[in-house]
Amino acid sequence: MSPPIPVWVGVRKLLVLGTEILVARNRAGLRTETDGPGLLFERARREDGGMLSWVTYQLVTADDQFSRPVSHYVPAHLLRRRGPARRHRFGDYRPRTHG
């Protein structure tokens, strides 16, 4: 795809925690409990009809000191399109929410 599409990657569901969740947290370990911003480069259909997406995103350490770029195929259902924040969508205009 040209240009790449900004997406949110469901890292928590992609990298599922195992039985080690009861051990103490490592401050230099990688943070996997949140969705992370990424870029979608291409899509490919799986044999069973589902979709895979080639995505690049950052894995960040728990202390925010380092990050590692990661690129691989991710199941399409773990991606959400990323767009402008709602507060920036309308400029100075604020739509009425009630009344």
Side-chain angles (χ1 to χ4, degrees):
M1 293 180 182
S2 177
I5 299 171
V7 292
W8 291 106
V9 180
V11 179
R12 172 185 227 168
K13 293 177 183 173
L14 179 65
L15 304 174
V16 180
L17 296 176
T19 57
E20 69 276 358
I21 62 174
L22 300 177
V23 298
R25 290 184 178 245
N26 183 351
R27 298 284 297 154
L30 296 173
R31 184 182 308 135
T32 60
E33 67 265 0
T34 60
D35 288 354
L39 291 174
L40 167 65
F41 289 94
E42 70 178 52
R43 291 187 177 125
R45 187 158 303 278
R46 292 189 324 234
E47 177 184 29
D48 63 359
M51 293 295 289
L52 292 173
S53 302
W54 184 263
V55 179
T56 297
Y57 61 96
Q58 299 280 334
L59 283 176
V60 182
T61 57
D63 59 2
D64 291 324
Q65 295 297 314
F66 302 100
S67 64
R68 161 108 28 214
V70 179
S71 296
H72 57 91
Y73 280 106
V74 173
H77 70 275
L78 297 179
L79 303 177
R80 289 182 294 126
R81 192 173 185 114
R82 188 167 39 115
R86 176 168 280 181
R87 65 182 172 271
H88 299 302
R89 229 178 263 167
F90 301 108
D92 290 334
Y93 171 71
R94 299 280 184 243
R96 293 178 66 131
T97 57
H98 60 279

